[in-house]
Amino acid sequence: MKVQLLHLKDSIQMAWFTMRTHKMRSFLTILGVLVGVAAVIGMVAIVQGLNKSMAAQIESLGANVIYVSRFEPQVQVGGGGRSEEERKRKYITFEDAMAIKELCPAVEAVSPEKYWWQEPDGNQVKYRDKEARNPQLGGVVPEYAVVNNCFASEGRFVTDSDINFKTYVCVLGVDVAEALFPHADPIGKQILVNNNRFIVVGVAEKKPAFLGYSQNNYLLIPFTTYRKIYSSSESVWLAVKPKSKAGIEAATDQITQLLRLRRGVPYDKENDFAVFTQDYLMDMYRSITGVAYLVMIVISSIALLVGGVGVMNIMLVSVTERTREIGIRKALGAKRRNILWQFLIEAMTLTGTGGIMGIIFGAALGIFVGAVTPLSATISLWSVIVGFSFSVSVGLFFGIYPATRAAKLDPIEALRYE
Amino acid sequence: MLIKTVDLWKTYTVGTETIHAVQGVSVEIEKGEYVAIMGPSGSGKSTLMNLIGCLDSPTRGEYHLNGRRVSAMSDDELAYIRNKEIGFVFQTFNLLPRASALHNVELPLIYNGTSSGERIRKAKEALKTVDLEDRMTHRPNELSGGQRQRVALARALVNNPALILADEPTGNLDTATGAEIMELFGRLHREGNTIIIVTHERDIAIYADRIFYLRDGKVEKEEDVRHIKNSGN
């Protein structure tokens, strides 16, 4: 064993020595491996960064929130869209929300929400000569704060009496507050929202940015007031908070049963609505990145394969060139396996070095992309380990044939080789 | 007895032709002897050298080296014997061109698992024996022919082999340098090393104590030449 380890150390030294004496050739040889590994590391870094932002974003929707929608959430790839059956489905309404609140014991709070887009350029929100940058306008109930984990940091939130009296009050997101009131206290001020006068009663807590985009460009008004001004469709977006994290399934079941009843779904038919959680959104997102990973693995496998063939080629040249050296080594007592390992380790050192350069290059790429785009790149340990061991394995695999050829050389013939 | 061959044969087949390169050679060489094997080209002396050097196995016959029957050994066993018992010196030096003199001398020690520190110590010692301790970091192409052959000699000595086997060691050197190298062989012999030199030149062969003349794969005659040296030739 000791002898074997000594060989390993010496072989790596010898391999380094050979590489240094053929810098350019070695570099060109490992380019394929380098590119393959760099692609893996860089892409993984970016996708992982995206994952982190996405996870943070989905979590910021509120911990343990159940969503109720007319449709299953889905990823639109190309055309297709919703089926006829789906488009004819009944809306989820404010009354559904009230029924859930009243009849589902596992539910703590229900937040029906509606959002408005003013044609043609978005919502116009003004205070004197100042104007906000087309904020999102939401009609909400007091439970919105609990369900979406979005409380007033200044002033107050929408209250039950606001709902009852359809008051013209609003709660601003931080961006809107800063745009309209850079130097003043917004509470109590009168602003214009799509030419309706509203009194500012609160400013909401700041939400973290997502992919570089601020999540604070919005204002919220009482649900009833919203309905009075923008009497559009009955459809609402429903977010539900269960009483406890453990109760999330019970709540989901209760909501499903209740809605089936209210919507008159026959017992032998599928739900004509969807009840889902942020875990579900997370899973859906993961299935998309899964495809991205698959594509990446295919691309880098091809690069590594090409790199491996290059390594094999160069190793064969190297064996021929060094026939005499092999003869000398054999004459001095090198056994077949010594020669075999020398060339295998040389091939692995080559590709391993390519792997390390690829890791550095890929990491730099990830960090660069992270720096110039809103994506935050995360270099994960496992991708580094996988990248390195893969590149070494390529060397081992494609080194076997040349190394076997070297090991089999006859010492007398090899010594005579010119 | 260090070397004993009994009716040693080596037969090659080249195309349809069968060549008997060595035909029933039986020699005995004692430990501490200085022997030359002489013969014209085609006499089978290279083949005999390869057999004695354990680079090749005989087709027929027996070969005992230092108490071991090496004629029936496998490739890896032969490699072990070459490493432990034999120090080679070649006509063309056969040094690794990109390695320093020190690394070249270390090489045999790598293949018997000597630790790195011990290797360097022994290699330096061997280079000192051939008076090259001040050229350790030089590469072969930075050394003269004589110096290269001395590095090769140091490499042959480093593992303390039972036998130093030299194949035309002066063939690529001028006469004066060749004589220097032969002086060095003489010194190593006086220090107790067993040496076999393969050559086609009588001038070189007479440095030895005993000469085997080889012709057509057979030992034609054997001559004791100690009296020539002693008479001051």
Side-chain angles (χ1 to χ4, degrees):
Chain A
M1 193 59 208
K2 200 183 163 205
V3 175
Q4 289 302 312
L5 279 177
L6 268 168
H7 282 151
L8 182 68
K9 195 176 143 232
D10 286 318
S11 302
I12 292 173
Q13 269 174 8
M14 282 193 280
W16 261 108
F17 186 76
T18 319
M19 272 180 67
R20 282 207 311 272
T21 47
H22 293 113
K23 283 195 195 75
M24 192 60 186
R25 186 168 89 183
S26 302
F27 177 72
L28 291 175
T29 307
I30 61 181
L31 202 58
V33 176
L34 194 157
V35 169
V37 173
V40 175
I41 301 290
M43 295 271 295
V44 168
I46 293 164
V47 172
Q48 291 254 313
L50 200 64
N51 281 355
K52 262 197 180 168
S53 314
M54 206 50 131
Q57 168 71 3
I58 290 173
E59 259 164 42
S60 78
L61 290 174
N64 310 315
V65 180
I66 302 166
Y67 300 101
V68 181
S69 156
R70 197 150 71 99
F71 304 123
E72 291 283 339
Q74 69 174 41
V75 186
Q76 299 275 346
V77 183
R82 305 284 179 184
S83 72
E84 175 104 19
E85 182 274 321
E86 282 180 309
R87 276 186 275 112
K88 280 185 177 162
R89 283 176 177 184
K90 279 187 242 172
Y91 292 130
I92 303 289
T93 63
F94 187 79
E95 285 64 38
D96 288 328
M98 292 304 110
I100 289 168
K101 192 173 166 185
E102 226 159 278
L103 298 172
C104 297
V107 167
E108 186 186 322
V110 181
S111 168
E113 297 158 24
K114 283 185 79 69
Y115 295 93
W116 182 254
W117 170 262
Q118 178 80 12
E119 296 294 346
D121 301 318
N123 298 308
Q124 308 293 318
V125 178
K126 289 175 194 160
Y127 175 71
R128 294 187 183 161
D129 58 335
K130 303 244 169 23
E131 195 168 339
R133 195 168 43 82
N134 302 332
Q136 189 187 41
L137 170 61
V140 300
V141 294
E143 281 84 350
Y144 177 94
V146 184
V147 173
N148 293 294
N149 202 17
C150 171
F151 297 93
S153 62
E154 287 174 57
R156 64 173 177 85
F157 203 75
V158 172
T159 62
D160 284 332
S161 63
D162 289 327
I163 299 293
N164 291 338
F165 296 108
K166 300 175 185 162
T167 54
Y168 281 69
V169 298
C170 65
V171 176
L172 304 182
V174 174
D175 288 358
V176 179
E178 279 172 1
L180 298 184
F181 305 100
H183 307 296
D185 179 12
I187 310 295
K189 301 283 192 312
Q190 196 178 61
I191 62 170
L192 273 180
V193 180
N194 297 332
N195 287 325
N196 292 299
R197 288 167 202 276
F198 278 80
I199 304 285
V200 178
V201 292
V203 176
E205 284 170 346
K206 189 168 184 167
K207 289 184 191 172
F210 173 62
L211 299 179
Y213 294 104
S214 170
Q215 301 289 294
N216 295 294
N217 193 25
Y218 64 91
L219 80 165
L220 304 172
I221 63 173
F223 189 86
T224 46
T225 315
Y226 179 100
R227 260 203 179 159
K228 195 168 108 189
I229 302 169
Y230 310 105
S231 55
S232 56
S233 81
E234 290 289 298
S235 177
V236 297
W237 167 253
L238 263 193
V240 179
K241 188 178 185 184
K243 283 216 166 99
S244 66
K245 193 168 184 177
I248 201 157
E249 242 172 87
T252 307
D253 285 349
Q254 288 166 8
I255 294 166
T256 309
Q257 290 310 317
L258 180 68
L259 287 179
R260 282 179 74 90
L261 214 61
R262 284 178 63 84
R263 295 162 74 89
V265 181
Y267 71 95
D268 58 346
K269 287 271 167 27
E270 297 277 317
N271 293 342
D272 64 352
F273 55 90
V275 180
F276 54 93
T277 61
Q278 38 169 308
D279 285 348
Y280 186 94
L281 294 177
M282 221 34 220
D283 287 347
M284 199 173 67
Y285 173 70
R286 281 202 195 95
S287 69
I288 307 169
T289 52
V291 174
Y293 276 126
L294 194 73
V295 169
M296 180 179 73
I297 286 165
V298 169
I299 292 171
S300 48
S301 298
I302 293 168
L304 284 175
L305 190 77
V306 172
V309 172
V311 168
M312 182 154 87
N313 187 27
I314 285 298
M315 291 306 292
L316 282 171
V317 171
S318 178
V319 168
T320 309
E321 263 184 9
R322 287 155 70 191
T323 299
R324 197 169 180 118
E325 177 193 323
I326 295 162
I328 295 169
R329 288 180 186 276
K330 284 203 155 184
L332 300 181
K335 298 185 173 73
R336 278 189 179 194
R337 65 159 190 278
N338 297 136
I339 302 294
L340 182 82
W341 275 107
Q342 183 190 334
F343 281 91
L344 280 183
I345 288 169
E346 196 167 312
M348 286 191 282
T349 307
L350 262 176
T351 55
T353 308
I356 290 170
M357 287 166 84
I359 288 166
I360 293 168
F361 195 72
L365 192 77
I367 290 165
F368 176 74
V369 170
V372 299
T373 69
L375 294 167
S376 65
T378 311
I379 289 113
S380 61
L381 185 65
W382 72 261
S383 71
V384 169
I385 292 169
V386 166
F388 183 70
S389 28
F390 239 85
S391 56
V392 171
S393 311
V394 165
L396 181 65
F397 184 77
F398 288 96
I400 285 172
Y401 177 63
T404 310
R405 267 189 42 172
K408 276 188 187 159
L409 284 174
D410 176 60
I412 300 167
E413 303 265 325
L415 276 171
R416 246 184 245 142
Y417 185 87
E418 292 295 334
Chain B
M1 196 70 63
L2 182 69
I3 288 174
K4 186 181 180 194
T5 72
V6 182
D7 194 25
L8 214 53
W9 284 75
K10 184 69 190 181
T11 308
Y12 297 107
T13 311
V14 181
T16 54
E17 207 179 341
T18 308
I19 297 162
H20 301 286
V22 172
Q23 305 176 31
V25 169
S26 300
V27 294
E28 293 186 353
I29 296 167
E30 296 284 348
K31 194 166 167 30
E33 271 200 273
Y34 188 175
V35 174
I37 296 172
M38 237 193 99
S41 58
S43 62
K45 61 183 193 305
S46 289
T47 307
L48 184 59
M49 193 208 81
N50 288 339
L51 289 174
I52 291 173
C54 297
L55 285 163
D56 207 352
S57 298
T59 314
R60 190 143 64 82
E62 287 201 3
Y63 171 29
H64 298 264
L65 173 64
N66 212 4
R68 266 187 267 242
R69 186 164 164 263
V70 293
S71 41
M73 282 186 174
S74 70
D75 279 4
D76 278 357
E77 286 170 317
L78 287 176
Y80 171 78
I81 295 292
R82 288 197 294 272
N83 183 264
K84 188 175 184 306
E85 307 282 16
I86 299 165
F88 285 98
V89 178
F90 300 95
Q91 177 177 359
T92 52
F93 322 128
N94 278 341
L95 300 173
L96 298 189
R98 293 192 202 88
S100 68
L102 188 69
H103 185 76
N104 266 293
V105 176
E106 265 186 79
L107 214 50
L109 300 172
I110 288 177
Y111 294 114
N112 62 19
T114 310
S115 72
S116 164
E118 183 72 0
R119 277 199 322 252
I120 290 171
R121 192 185 65 74
K122 283 189 171 176
K124 281 183 177 169
E125 201 177 291
L127 280 166
K128 203 172 169 189
T129 309
V130 299
D131 301 318
L132 274 180
E133 65 262 52
D134 56 339
R135 292 282 189 279
M136 285 190 302
T137 56
H138 289 58
R139 289 183 186 186
N141 61 4
E142 297 161 342
L143 297 170
S144 72
Q147 286 171 332
R148 285 184 214 183
Q149 197 57 301
R150 278 193 280 159
V151 173
L153 248 167
R155 184 178 65 186
L157 286 169
V158 75
N159 228 353
N160 231 339
L163 169 67
I164 292 173
L165 191 55
D167 180 17
E168 304 276 9
T170 59
N172 277 24
L173 303 173
D174 60 60
T175 316
T177 317
E180 262 175 49
I181 291 295
M182 291 321 291
E183 289 302 329
L184 189 52
F185 273 109
R187 201 181 89 204
L188 294 172
H189 172 234
R190 285 192 295 279
E191 287 167 2
N193 290 291
T194 312
I195 296 169
I196 299 179
I197 286 184
V198 179
T199 182
H200 65 279
E201 287 176 85
R202 189 173 159 80
D203 290 351
I204 296 299
I206 55 168
Y207 279 92
D209 294 342
R210 202 147 63 107
I211 302 176
F212 290 105
Y213 291 91
L214 218 62
R215 187 174 287 277
D216 300 328
K218 291 178 188 129
V219 178
E220 193 181 45
K221 74 177 175 175
E222 198 186 312
E223 185 188 5
D224 193 318
V225 289
R226 267 174 292 189
H227 62 279
I228 302 175
K229 255 195 295 192
N230 293 342
S231 69
N233 191 318

